[in-house]
Amino acid sequence: LGCSDCHQASFAGQEDVPRLAGQVPAYTVLQLQAFQAGERTHGTGENAASGLALDADAMQNLAHFFAGLR
C-alpha cells in the first residue's frame, strides 16, 4: 500500500501527516472510501489512496489492523 512512506513504519504519523495507529476502524474505513472515491486528498493534493483496489472486506481488515497498533 505504501502508507508507511508518509505515515512512518509504525503508522504513528509525523508533523502534518496523521496517525493511523489506534484509529477507530469506522473512521478509517470512511477515510479510505473517501480517498478511493476521489473525495479526499492528502494535504499536498496528492491522492495516493484513490487507486487502491480495496473491497469492503479489505478496508475493514486494514482499518482493524491500524486500530490494533499503538
Side-chain angles (χ1 to χ4, degrees), residues 30-42 45-52 59:
L30 286 174
Q31 301 317 304
L32 287 169
Q33 290 170 336
F35 275 118
Q36 198 172 55
E39 297 167 354
R40 179 176 175 167
T41 62
H42 287 81
E46 178 183 351
N47 192 345
S50 65
L52 290 179
M59 284 187 191

Side-chain angles (χ1 to χ4, degrees), residues 19-35 59-60 62-64 66-67:
R19 177 180 189 84
L20 298 178
Q23 287 288 356
V24 175
Y27 175 78
T28 301
V29 168
L30 286 174
Q31 301 317 304
L32 287 169
Q33 290 170 336
F35 275 118
M59 284 187 191
Q60 285 291 330
L62 186 59
H64 283 277
F66 289 142

